[in-house]
Amino acid sequence: MSESVIDQVAVEFREVMARVCTPVAVITAFDDARPHGTTVSAFTSLSMGPPMILVSLDRGSDLLAIVRRTGEFGVNVLAHDQADVAMRFARKGADKFDGIGWTESARVPRISGSAGWLACTTETLVDGGDHVVVLGNIVETGLTPAAPLTYHDRVFGTHRAFEAAS
Ligand SMILES: Cc1cc2nc3c(=O)[nH]c(=O)nc-3n(C[C@H](O)[C@H](O)[C@H](O)COP(=O)(O)O)c2cc1C
């Protein structure tokens, strides 16, 4: 492939992915006693029997380094009113949990008010380009009645069903 074709693929790949409406979750883990978290949109279910999910984390992610060490992580599926939480955990730093409500659940940090909760143990890590795919076994679940936070065309929103046909 010529360099201009490679450039076009890189640009259009980003634009195509911007058209994919994704969930927004914060992946959490304990760095010794300190809770840490990272915002992700590359998160999906993988298997029903056994129940498994996958998360794709940048190789440079501090959260990934912690999960490599501990083998345990939480998936906090954010609610529609948690865009500020998503932005808080989308930056670097050891202080991301300051001012955030959370509890410990199944040995990992659980963020209060999230629409959905999964506690996981790591099954395996798979290299994928500049990311690492983390395959997780689900060991605990939780639900809060709240509409989800979504990410589409580089902005946050939520999902709304079509009006029922009359
Ligand atoms: C909406 C949104 C979605 C994101 N999705 C991912 C993702 O799927 N995987 C990832 O590694 N980083 C993703 N990021 C970027 C990380 O949140 C960001 O790089 C963070 O600073 C990493 O923190 P850490 O080094 O403490 O793990 C996303 C950021 C935003 C705002």
Side-chain angles (χ1 to χ4, degrees):
M1 271 197 291
S2 72
E3 250 177 54
S4 64
V5 172
I6 293 170
D7 286 350
Q8 189 194 349
V9 166
V11 169
E12 287 200 355
F13 174 48
R14 284 192 174 81
E15 292 310 312
V16 170
M17 294 314 297
R19 294 181 186 190
V20 179
C21 183
T22 67
V24 186
V26 176
I27 309 302
T28 52
F30 277 118
D31 186 12
D32 295 323
R34 181 184 66 81
H36 193 81
T38 295
T39 300
V40 302
S41 55
F43 144 69
T44 189
S45 64
L46 171 64
S47 162
M48 292 298 161
M52 295 177 74
I53 54 104
L54 67 80
V55 185
S56 176
L57 289 168
D58 189 285
R59 284 181 177 281
S61 161
D62 295 332
L63 192 275
L64 174 63
I66 297 167
V67 170
R68 278 189 196 279
R69 209 166 55 242
T70 64
E72 295 175 313
F73 62 95
V75 180
N76 300 266
V77 180
L78 295 186
H80 68 101
D81 57 354
Q82 291 182 307
D84 55 336
V85 176
M87 290 314 296
R88 161 68 73 93
F89 286 95
R91 59 177 175 76
K92 288 284 191 184
D95 60 350
K96 292 192 251 186
F97 264 91
D98 288 1
I100 299 284
W102 66 281
T103 53
E104 181 176 337
S105 194
R107 299 162 50 91
V108 283
R110 177 176 179 171
I111 295 173
S112 307
S114 298
W117 162 251
L118 302 170
C120 302
T121 55
T122 304
E123 173 69 23
T124 188
L125 302 174
V126 182
D127 287 341
D130 56 12
H131 278 56
V132 172
V133 183
V134 182
L135 274 53
N137 293 302
I138 294 156
V139 296
E140 184 181 80
T141 58
L143 290 166
T144 302
L149 184 66
T150 58
Y151 193 63
H152 175 250
D153 205 11
R154 302 182 178 90
V155 293
F156 293 112
T158 192
H159 175 75
R160 188 174 309 141
F162 289 134
E163 298 292 327
S166 53

Short mmCIF file of all heavy atoms in Angstrom, two decimals, residues 58-96:
data_model
loop_
_atom_site.label_atom_id
_atom_site.label_comp_id
_atom_site.label_asym_id
_atom_site.label_seq_id
_atom_site.Cartn_x
_atom_site.Cartn_y
_atom_site.Cartn_z
N ASP A 58 -5.01 0.35 26.02
CA ASP A 58 -3.76 0.85 25.43
C ASP A 58 -2.57 0.25 26.19
O ASP A 58 -2.60 0.14 27.42
CB ASP A 58 -3.76 2.37 25.54
CG ASP A 58 -2.62 3.00 24.77
OD1 ASP A 58 -1.46 2.91 25.24
OD2 ASP A 58 -2.88 3.57 23.70
N ARG A 59 -1.51 -0.09 25.43
CA ARG A 59 -0.31 -0.66 26.08
C ARG A 59 0.27 0.26 27.16
O ARG A 59 0.91 -0.22 28.09
CB ARG A 59 0.78 -0.90 25.03
CG ARG A 59 0.53 -2.08 24.19
CD ARG A 59 1.65 -2.28 23.19
NE ARG A 59 1.40 -3.49 22.43
CZ ARG A 59 1.65 -4.71 22.90
NH1 ARG A 59 2.19 -4.88 24.07
NH2 ARG A 59 1.36 -5.76 22.16
N GLY A 60 0.05 1.57 27.02
CA GLY A 60 0.61 2.53 27.98
C GLY A 60 -0.30 2.79 29.17
O GLY A 60 0.02 3.64 30.02
N SER A 61 -1.42 2.09 29.26
CA SER A 61 -2.38 2.33 30.34
C SER A 61 -1.82 1.89 31.70
O SER A 61 -1.35 0.75 31.86
CB SER A 61 -3.67 1.56 30.04
OG SER A 61 -4.44 1.39 31.22
N ASP A 62 -1.92 2.80 32.67
CA ASP A 62 -1.50 2.45 34.04
C ASP A 62 -2.42 1.38 34.63
O ASP A 62 -1.99 0.53 35.40
CB ASP A 62 -1.51 3.70 34.92
CG ASP A 62 -0.49 4.73 34.47
OD1 ASP A 62 0.54 4.33 33.87
OD2 ASP A 62 -0.72 5.94 34.69
N LEU A 63 -3.72 1.46 34.26
CA LEU A 63 -4.67 0.46 34.76
C LEU A 63 -4.29 -0.93 34.25
O LEU A 63 -4.34 -1.92 35.00
CB LEU A 63 -6.08 0.87 34.31
CG LEU A 63 -7.34 0.19 34.87
CD1 LEU A 63 -7.70 -1.07 34.15
CD2 LEU A 63 -7.27 -0.02 36.38
N LEU A 64 -3.86 -1.00 32.99
CA LEU A 64 -3.44 -2.29 32.43
C LEU A 64 -2.27 -2.86 33.24
O LEU A 64 -2.26 -4.07 33.54
CB LEU A 64 -3.03 -2.13 30.96
CG LEU A 64 -2.42 -3.37 30.30
CD1 LEU A 64 -3.41 -4.52 30.26
CD2 LEU A 64 -1.91 -3.04 28.89
N ALA A 65 -1.32 -2.02 33.61
CA ALA A 65 -0.16 -2.50 34.39
C ALA A 65 -0.64 -3.08 35.72
O ALA A 65 -0.12 -4.11 36.18
CB ALA A 65 0.82 -1.36 34.61
N ILE A 66 -1.63 -2.45 36.33
CA ILE A 66 -2.16 -2.95 37.61
C ILE A 66 -2.87 -4.29 37.41
O ILE A 66 -2.67 -5.24 38.16
CB ILE A 66 -3.12 -1.90 38.25
CG1 ILE A 66 -2.36 -0.61 38.57
CG2 ILE A 66 -3.78 -2.47 39.49
CD1 ILE A 66 -3.26 0.57 38.89
N VAL A 67 -3.69 -4.37 36.35
CA VAL A 67 -4.45 -5.61 36.09
C VAL A 67 -3.50 -6.76 35.76
O VAL A 67 -3.73 -7.91 36.16
CB VAL A 67 -5.49 -5.38 34.98
CG1 VAL A 67 -6.12 -6.69 34.52
CG2 VAL A 67 -6.57 -4.41 35.44
N ARG A 68 -2.42 -6.45 35.03
CA ARG A 68 -1.41 -7.50 34.75
C ARG A 68 -0.91 -8.11 36.06
O ARG A 68 -0.67 -9.31 36.16
CB ARG A 68 -0.20 -6.89 34.03
CG ARG A 68 -0.35 -6.70 32.54
CD ARG A 68 1.01 -6.29 31.98
NE ARG A 68 0.96 -5.71 30.65
CZ ARG A 68 0.88 -6.41 29.52
NH1 ARG A 68 0.78 -7.71 29.57
NH2 ARG A 68 0.87 -5.79 28.36
N ARG A 69 -0.77 -7.24 37.09
CA ARG A 69 -0.20 -7.67 38.36
C ARG A 69 -1.22 -8.39 39.24
O ARG A 69 -0.92 -9.41 39.86
CB ARG A 69 0.34 -6.43 39.09
CG ARG A 69 1.49 -6.69 40.00
CD ARG A 69 2.19 -5.41 40.42
NE ARG A 69 1.34 -4.41 41.03
CZ ARG A 69 1.12 -3.21 40.53
NH1 ARG A 69 1.69 -2.84 39.41
NH2 ARG A 69 0.34 -2.35 41.16
N THR A 70 -2.46 -7.83 39.30
CA THR A 70 -3.44 -8.34 40.27
C THR A 70 -4.36 -9.41 39.71
O THR A 70 -4.87 -10.23 40.47
CB THR A 70 -4.33 -7.18 40.79
OG1 THR A 70 -5.09 -6.65 39.69
CG2 THR A 70 -3.48 -6.08 41.40
N GLY A 71 -4.65 -9.35 38.40
CA GLY A 71 -5.56 -10.32 37.80
C GLY A 71 -7.01 -10.12 38.19
O GLY A 71 -7.84 -11.02 38.01
N GLU A 72 -7.34 -8.91 38.70
CA GLU A 72 -8.73 -8.63 39.12
C GLU A 72 -9.10 -7.22 38.68
O GLU A 72 -8.28 -6.30 38.81
CB GLU A 72 -8.85 -8.72 40.63
CG GLU A 72 -8.61 -10.11 41.18
CD GLU A 72 -8.62 -10.14 42.70
OE1 GLU A 72 -7.96 -9.27 43.32
OE2 GLU A 72 -9.28 -11.02 43.27
N PHE A 73 -10.34 -7.05 38.20
CA PHE A 73 -10.78 -5.70 37.82
C PHE A 73 -12.31 -5.61 37.84
O PHE A 73 -13.01 -6.62 37.80
CB PHE A 73 -10.23 -5.31 36.44
CG PHE A 73 -10.68 -6.19 35.30
CD1 PHE A 73 -11.77 -5.84 34.52
CD2 PHE A 73 -10.02 -7.38 35.01
CE1 PHE A 73 -12.18 -6.64 33.47
CE2 PHE A 73 -10.41 -8.19 33.95
CZ PHE A 73 -11.49 -7.82 33.18
N GLY A 74 -12.79 -4.37 37.94
CA GLY A 74 -14.22 -4.10 37.93
C GLY A 74 -14.60 -3.35 36.66
O GLY A 74 -13.80 -2.62 36.09
N VAL A 75 -15.84 -3.58 36.20
CA VAL A 75 -16.38 -2.86 35.04
C VAL A 75 -17.59 -2.07 35.52
O VAL A 75 -18.60 -2.66 35.92
CB VAL A 75 -16.80 -3.83 33.92
CG1 VAL A 75 -17.35 -3.05 32.72
CG2 VAL A 75 -15.63 -4.72 33.50
N ASN A 76 -17.46 -0.74 35.53
CA ASN A 76 -18.55 0.14 35.96
C ASN A 76 -19.18 0.73 34.70
O ASN A 76 -18.61 1.63 34.07
CB ASN A 76 -17.99 1.27 36.84
CG ASN A 76 -17.32 0.73 38.09
OD1 ASN A 76 -17.94 0.64 39.14
ND2 ASN A 76 -16.04 0.36 37.98
N VAL A 77 -20.34 0.21 34.32
CA VAL A 77 -21.03 0.70 33.11
C VAL A 77 -21.74 1.99 33.51
O VAL A 77 -22.66 1.98 34.33
CB VAL A 77 -22.05 -0.35 32.60
CG1 VAL A 77 -22.76 0.16 31.35
CG2 VAL A 77 -21.35 -1.68 32.33
N LEU A 78 -21.27 3.12 32.95
CA LEU A 78 -21.72 4.41 33.47
C LEU A 78 -23.17 4.72 33.09
O LEU A 78 -23.67 4.29 32.05
CB LEU A 78 -20.80 5.53 32.97
CG LEU A 78 -19.36 5.46 33.49
CD1 LEU A 78 -18.58 6.69 33.05
CD2 LEU A 78 -19.30 5.32 35.02
N ALA A 79 -23.82 5.50 33.96
CA ALA A 79 -25.19 5.95 33.74
C ALA A 79 -25.16 7.28 32.99
O ALA A 79 -24.14 7.96 32.92
CB ALA A 79 -25.89 6.10 35.09
N HIS A 80 -26.33 7.67 32.44
CA HIS A 80 -26.42 8.86 31.57
C HIS A 80 -25.95 10.14 32.25
O HIS A 80 -25.52 11.08 31.57
CB HIS A 80 -27.87 9.03 31.09
CG HIS A 80 -28.81 9.40 32.21
ND1 HIS A 80 -29.25 10.68 32.43
CD2 HIS A 80 -29.35 8.65 33.19
CE1 HIS A 80 -30.03 10.70 33.48
NE2 HIS A 80 -30.10 9.47 33.96
N ASP A 81 -26.01 10.19 33.58
CA ASP A 81 -25.63 11.42 34.29
C ASP A 81 -24.19 11.36 34.82
O ASP A 81 -23.82 12.13 35.71
CB ASP A 81 -26.61 11.68 35.45
CG ASP A 81 -26.69 10.52 36.44
OD1 ASP A 81 -26.06 9.46 36.18
OD2 ASP A 81 -27.37 10.66 37.46
N GLN A 82 -23.37 10.47 34.24
CA GLN A 82 -21.98 10.32 34.74
C GLN A 82 -20.93 10.71 33.69
O GLN A 82 -19.81 10.18 33.71
CB GLN A 82 -21.75 8.88 35.21
CG GLN A 82 -22.54 8.55 36.49
CD GLN A 82 -22.26 7.15 36.99
OE1 GLN A 82 -22.38 6.19 36.23
NE2 GLN A 82 -21.86 7.02 38.24
N ALA A 83 -21.26 11.66 32.80
CA ALA A 83 -20.26 12.11 31.81
C ALA A 83 -19.05 12.74 32.52
O ALA A 83 -17.91 12.60 32.05
CB ALA A 83 -20.89 13.10 30.84
N ASP A 84 -19.30 13.43 33.64
CA ASP A 84 -18.18 14.02 34.39
C ASP A 84 -17.27 12.93 34.95
O ASP A 84 -16.03 13.10 34.99
CB ASP A 84 -18.71 14.93 35.51
CG ASP A 84 -19.68 14.22 36.45
OD1 ASP A 84 -20.30 13.22 36.05
OD2 ASP A 84 -19.80 14.65 37.62
N VAL A 85 -17.85 11.80 35.36
CA VAL A 85 -17.04 10.67 35.85
C VAL A 85 -16.20 10.10 34.70
O VAL A 85 -15.01 9.82 34.86
CB VAL A 85 -17.96 9.58 36.46
CG1 VAL A 85 -17.15 8.35 36.88
CG2 VAL A 85 -18.75 10.13 37.63
N ALA A 86 -16.82 9.98 33.52
CA ALA A 86 -16.08 9.49 32.34
C ALA A 86 -14.88 10.38 32.05
O ALA A 86 -13.78 9.88 31.78
CB ALA A 86 -17.01 9.44 31.12
N MET A 87 -15.06 11.69 32.11
CA MET A 87 -13.94 12.61 31.82
C MET A 87 -12.88 12.55 32.91
O MET A 87 -11.68 12.61 32.64
CB MET A 87 -14.46 14.05 31.65
CG MET A 87 -15.28 14.25 30.39
SD MET A 87 -14.51 13.51 28.92
CE MET A 87 -13.02 14.49 28.78
N ARG A 88 -13.31 12.41 34.14
CA ARG A 88 -12.36 12.32 35.25
C ARG A 88 -11.40 11.14 35.09
O ARG A 88 -10.20 11.24 35.29
CB ARG A 88 -13.14 12.19 36.57
CG ARG A 88 -12.34 11.65 37.76
CD ARG A 88 -11.29 12.64 38.20
NE ARG A 88 -11.95 13.75 38.87
CZ ARG A 88 -12.15 13.82 40.18
NH1 ARG A 88 -11.71 12.85 40.96
NH2 ARG A 88 -12.75 14.86 40.71
N PHE A 89 -11.97 9.99 34.65
CA PHE A 89 -11.15 8.78 34.55
C PHE A 89 -10.47 8.63 33.18
O PHE A 89 -9.79 7.64 32.93
CB PHE A 89 -11.98 7.53 34.89
CG PHE A 89 -12.26 7.41 36.37
CD1 PHE A 89 -13.44 7.89 36.93
CD2 PHE A 89 -11.31 6.84 37.21
CE1 PHE A 89 -13.69 7.79 38.29
CE2 PHE A 89 -11.54 6.73 38.57
CZ PHE A 89 -12.73 7.22 39.12
N ALA A 90 -10.64 9.64 32.32
CA ALA A 90 -10.00 9.61 30.99
C ALA A 90 -8.68 10.36 31.00
O ALA A 90 -8.12 10.63 29.94
CB ALA A 90 -10.94 10.18 29.94
N ARG A 91 -8.21 10.75 32.19
CA ARG A 91 -6.91 11.42 32.26
C ARG A 91 -5.94 10.55 33.07
O ARG A 91 -6.34 9.54 33.63
CB ARG A 91 -7.04 12.82 32.86
CG ARG A 91 -7.62 12.85 34.26
CD ARG A 91 -7.64 14.27 34.79
NE ARG A 91 -8.29 14.41 36.07
CZ ARG A 91 -7.79 14.05 37.26
NH1 ARG A 91 -6.60 13.47 37.33
NH2 ARG A 91 -8.47 14.24 38.36
N LYS A 92 -4.67 10.98 33.09
CA LYS A 92 -3.65 10.26 33.84
C LYS A 92 -3.63 10.72 35.30
O LYS A 92 -4.05 11.84 35.60
CB LYS A 92 -2.27 10.52 33.22
CG LYS A 92 -2.06 9.83 31.89
CD LYS A 92 -1.80 8.35 32.14
CE LYS A 92 -1.33 7.64 30.91
NZ LYS A 92 -1.19 6.19 31.16
N GLY A 93 -3.12 9.90 36.20
CA GLY A 93 -2.92 10.34 37.57
C GLY A 93 -3.35 9.32 38.60
O GLY A 93 -4.17 8.44 38.32
N ALA A 94 -2.78 9.48 39.80
CA ALA A 94 -3.07 8.57 40.90
C ALA A 94 -4.24 9.06 41.75
O ALA A 94 -4.65 8.39 42.69
CB ALA A 94 -1.83 8.39 41.77
N ASP A 95 -4.79 10.26 41.41
CA ASP A 95 -5.81 10.89 42.25
C ASP A 95 -7.20 10.88 41.61
O ASP A 95 -8.08 11.63 42.00
CB ASP A 95 -5.40 12.34 42.54
CG ASP A 95 -5.27 13.15 41.24
OD1 ASP A 95 -5.30 12.54 40.14
OD2 ASP A 95 -5.14 14.38 41.33
N LYS A 96 -7.41 10.01 40.61
CA LYS A 96 -8.67 10.07 39.87
C LYS A 96 -9.90 9.78 40.73
O LYS A 96 -10.99 10.21 40.43
CB LYS A 96 -8.61 9.11 38.67
CG LYS A 96 -7.62 9.53 37.60
CD LYS A 96 -7.81 8.73 36.32
CE LYS A 96 -6.71 7.77 36.06
NZ LYS A 96 -6.82 7.10 34.75
#
